[in-house]
Amino acid sequence: AILVRLQRDTSASVGEIAEAVGLSQSPCWRRIQRLEQDGFIRERVAILDRQKLGFTLEVFVQVRFSREGGATIAAFEDAIRAAPEVVECYMLMGDVDFLLRVVTRDVQTYEHFLRQTLAPIPGVRDITSTIALSTVKATSALPLETLIEAAGK
């Protein structure tokens, strides 16, 4: 219940969380500290509105990787971690090796990223870019309610 509340609003005070979950402040604070120490809470961040900040283009990029010529996946991953435009990167199993979510100001900025950063990475064999027209759902919240429901059965 504490995690459900924190996922919705990390700025809530310990007192507000304690009241919402039916605990007094001290035990609630200790549980939050324990959740952080045990790694259940990795970090607390502000979620920014990318469009209000001028990042109007969101692109999903499929990358196929070639293992020929000494290129390594580790070097690719290091290059991707260093690229600020890449906000998410997943290694996949199947026809595509990596899926990237890239955020830039506009198409020209994305083209620059594509030509100057992504395409020159050793091992990149094929790149497929798909521009998102709109966001139907975007959340960082995990479906904790389903765990609570399963525990109650």
Side-chain angles (χ1 to χ4, degrees):
I2 291 171
L3 291 174
V4 170
R5 176 76 175 160
L6 282 172
Q7 275 195 135
R8 285 190 208 128
D9 182 10
T10 61
S11 68
S13 70
V14 174
E16 292 170 327
I17 295 169
E19 185 178 327
V21 301
L23 290 172
S24 62
Q25 257 185 277
S26 293
C28 184
W29 181 82
R30 284 192 299 272
R31 288 183 188 186
I32 292 170
Q33 293 298 307
R34 178 85 187 261
L35 289 165
E36 289 177 338
Q37 290 168 359
D38 291 348
F40 289 96
I41 300 172
R42 285 195 334 224
E43 59 187 308
R44 297 187 198 196
V45 300
I47 298 174
L48 308 178
D49 187 315
R50 69 174 174 81
Q51 292 183 329
K52 285 186 179 182
L53 291 165
F55 297 101
T56 61
L57 190 69
E58 184 173 41
V59 184
F60 292 91
V61 184
Q62 297 177 2
V63 178
R64 288 176 182 81
F65 192 79
S66 170
R67 285 147 192 92
E68 300 167 8
T72 67
I73 289 176
F76 172 83
E77 290 173 343
D78 288 344
I80 292 304
R81 282 187 197 100
E85 299 89 348
V86 179
V87 295
E88 293 181 68
C89 175
Y90 301 94
M91 178 186 258
L92 305 176
M93 183 170 43
D95 293 338
V96 174
D97 296 309
F98 293 93
L99 177 65
L100 314 177
R101 185 168 72 95
V102 176
V103 174
T104 64
R105 291 188 315 271
D106 51 33
V107 172
Q108 292 77 20
T109 309
Y110 175 69
E111 181 182 4
H112 183 265
F113 162 79
L114 187 64
R115 289 177 183 267
Q116 302 300 315
T117 303
L118 186 57
I121 298 173
V124 171
R125 180 183 53 145
D126 184 51
I127 299 168
T128 304
S129 302
T130 304
I131 294 174
L133 297 177
S134 64
T135 303
V136 176
K137 179 179 181 180
T139 182
S140 63
L142 297 175
L144 296 176
E145 293 83 358
T146 61
L147 295 177
I148 294 168
E149 290 170 10
K153 292 182 180 179

